[in-house]
Amino acid sequence: MHDAETNSDDPRAKEVADRVKDIVIHVLELHVDRAQLTDDVPLYSSALRLDSLALLHLLVRFEQEFGIEIDDEDVMNAELRDVGSLVELVRGLVETTDHVNGKRL
């Protein structure tokens, strides 16, 4: 299994990825360690049991946790298929928000 964020030298990107995975584990009440929730785990699998309501809960929690706004267009453009694509959605919005607010990544 492959994790894109582990290949990054950016500690902020790794922090975002870890927090996203922790939120997924908590919101979906999974009984796994973060290390088991690799980027290639399909979102709509029996392992995650993600449905549209659970996705909505995740998105709201990401907005609260990261101080970002996720709109419908962001979700549609993200082509969410696996944990890695969910991490990339949040990471991209965090980077955009940080840039707009003048924070250094």
Side-chain angles (χ1 to χ4, degrees):
M1 294 193 179
H2 174 70
D3 277 346
E5 72 275 358
T6 58
N7 296 330
S8 173
D9 293 330
D10 182 358
R12 175 77 167 138
K14 173 101 171 73
E15 175 192 344
V16 170
D18 288 348
R19 286 171 59 194
V20 166
K21 290 179 179 186
D22 288 343
I23 291 168
V24 169
I25 290 166
H26 177 75
V27 170
L28 299 181
E29 299 178 354
L30 302 176
H31 301 288
V32 299
D33 295 324
R34 184 191 313 141
Q36 295 173 286
L37 194 61
T38 58
D39 285 349
D40 60 352
V41 173
L43 291 177
Y44 303 100
S45 66
S46 59
L48 294 187
R49 303 177 313 273
L50 187 72
D51 59 22
S52 57
L53 185 58
L55 178 60
L56 180 60
H57 285 284
L58 284 173
L59 297 176
V60 168
R61 185 67 185 272
F62 295 146
E63 288 179 330
Q64 294 168 342
E65 180 76 17
F66 294 101
I68 59 176
E69 185 176 318
I70 304 171
D71 59 33
D72 293 343
E73 188 174 322
D74 295 326
V75 176
M76 301 263 298
N77 290 335
E79 297 180 25
L80 299 175
R81 63 198 170 284
D82 55 26
V83 172
S85 61
L86 191 59
V87 167
E88 287 303 315
L89 168 67
V90 174
R91 185 183 302 152
L93 292 170
V94 167
E95 288 175 357
T96 300
T97 300
D98 285 352
H99 178 73
V100 168
N101 292 333
K103 295 180 183 175
R104 187 166 188 270
L105 299 178

